[in-house]
Amino acid sequence: MNILITGATGFIGQQLVRRLQRGHHIITVLSRNAKRASEMLGVPAYDWDYATQDVPFEAIKDCQVIINLMGENLGEGRWTKARKHEIYTSRILSTRKLVAAAPDSLHTFVCGSAIGIYPGTGDDCYDESYTVPEQRSFMQTICHDWEQEAARIESNGVRRVSIRTGVVLGHGGMLQKLLPVFKLSLGGPAGNGKQWLPWIHIDDIVSVYIAAALDSRYQGPVNAVAPNPVRYREFATALGHALQRPAFFPAPAFILKLVLGEAAALALNSYRVTPRRLLEEFGFHFKYSDLPAALADLHRPH
């Protein structure tokens, strides 16, 4: 399969490219730094600045599948007005341009999204049947608009999948930020620790993206979270156990808000989300469905 990937040098993207290469697919990537991306991944890469350029014709001309992982990192820095604009446009504008450039050869468009589309409060459990209200948070607005942009491609007869990703556990992402704190025995729950944390192991999120790209049953929104979400305090305890460190130092909500501003929502919101479609419709098999096993795999001695 001819597959074009954006955001390929990111945390998920690098693993995805490696796995697809093992499956003998033909991979091309778009990147702000094509030379670096090509050297890092060992695949052809084309320069693309989504803000000022159209999608390069040579990169997209014969592709059958697009996997769009592009988007500024939500967890980097405070959400200033300028930063929020970058976070939003990096997802919406890049998706709009990919949809506009889609060649006749394209039959599948797999696009990132996030569990931020859900309310992020309380203990209610959400699946893909949820309807986004008119009044939305910043996170809900991003995810809703991102999915709407991706869905435009369906009018061309192209299958579209939006992957609503949870917190990905692997050697990068959130864990990379938490590990130094926990290794100093200063880890613990954020806020009151009662908020739900929808997690997924890096191996499983890569498998979800590959299944979405290759299995024609996948269409529309798909929650990419493990079937057993935990509360943040359980996560902190399990991570402390995996690292053989205590984990009882809470990070008070007011300190997180002081340091991170609005971005503190990433740690303090409560997302109880279930992968209903993966389990019931697609029979997806999670390699890691329980948190202790996922963390043990990531932190076993090498």
Side-chain angles (χ1 to χ4, degrees):
M1 204 79 80
N2 277 357
I3 302 174
L4 177 68
I5 303 178
T6 70
T9 59
F11 175 36
I12 296 171
Q14 290 183 50
Q15 303 293 331
L16 181 60
V17 169
R18 287 192 194 109
R19 191 100 69 83
L20 286 168
Q21 282 175 310
R22 291 206 295 269
H24 305 294
H25 296 283
I26 299 164
I27 311 296
T28 306
V29 305
L30 290 172
S31 174
R32 276 175 288 204
N33 187 334
K35 185 173 183 292
R36 173 178 163 266
S38 186
E39 288 170 358
M40 179 191 286
L41 301 167
V43 297
Y46 293 84
D47 281 304
W48 184 41
D49 178 351
Y50 75 88
T52 59
Q53 299 172 331
D54 289 329
V55 179
F57 173 74
E58 313 78 47
I60 204 168
K61 62 179 179 183
D62 292 318
C63 85
Q64 297 159 294
V65 177
I66 293 174
I67 300 177
N68 180 26
L69 297 170
M70 205 164 169
E72 288 289 331
N73 189 333
L74 287 165
E76 292 294 329
R78 292 176 71 90
W79 287 356
T80 60
K81 192 173 179 183
R83 183 68 184 150
K84 284 167 92 168
H85 180 72
E86 280 180 356
I87 288 168
Y88 182 86
T89 55
S90 64
R91 289 161 171 78
I92 310 306
L93 186 57
S94 62
T95 301
R96 185 177 298 160
K97 288 187 172 182
L98 286 165
V99 168
D104 292 341
S105 55
L106 189 75
H107 57 68
T108 301
F109 186 72
V110 182
C111 191
S113 184
I115 48 97
I117 200 161
Y118 300 109
T121 56
D123 292 333
D124 288 346
C125 195
Y126 294 96
D127 66 21
E128 294 91 346
S129 63
Y130 171 75
T131 303
V132 183
E134 291 295 316
Q135 293 290 92
R136 306 178 191 124
S137 67
F138 174 57
M139 284 293 298
Q140 284 183 300
T141 299
I142 294 172
C143 297
H144 171 270
D145 293 1
W146 200 6
E147 292 189 11
Q148 291 296 108
E149 287 295 339
R152 291 173 191 266
I153 203 150
E154 293 171 354
S155 62
N156 300 349
V158 174
R159 181 173 64 88
R160 183 267 314 185
V161 191
S162 291
I163 308 293
R164 294 175 175 174
T165 308
V167 173
V168 181
L169 303 182
H171 299 294
M174 185 175 109
L175 267 190
Q176 195 167 323
K177 294 186 173 179
L178 290 178
L179 285 179
V181 179
F182 274 79
K183 284 178 176 175
L184 289 170
S185 301
L186 296 173
N192 64 17
K194 292 179 181 176
Q195 65 274 39
W196 289 93
L197 184 81
W199 61 275
I200 185 167
H201 190 288
I202 184 70
D203 288 357
D204 284 328
I205 188 68
V206 169
S207 295
V208 170
Y209 267 98
I210 291 173
L214 305 180
D215 185 338
S216 60
R217 293 177 304 158
Y218 284 67
Q219 189 154 9
V222 174
N223 287 342
V225 295
N228 296 306
V230 296
R231 293 186 190 271
Y232 204 107
R233 62 180 172 224
E234 293 172 62
F235 173 79
T237 301
L239 180 55
H241 181 76
L243 296 170
Q244 299 179 318
R245 296 285 194 281
F248 48 76
F249 282 93
F254 78 90
I255 289 181
L256 287 169
K257 287 174 182 170
L258 200 66
V259 174
L260 300 172
E262 270 191 85
L266 296 173
L268 297 173
N269 283 6
S270 178
Y271 292 105
R272 193 177 184 189
V273 179
T274 176
R276 182 184 61 80
R277 297 193 69 205
L278 280 177
L279 296 174
E280 294 178 13
E281 292 182 39
F282 312 132
F284 181 85
H285 173 71
F286 283 89
K287 189 175 176 185
Y288 299 99
S289 57
D290 292 297
L291 183 65
L295 291 172
D297 170 71
L298 294 167
H299 299 290
R300 64 174 185 260
H302 292 288

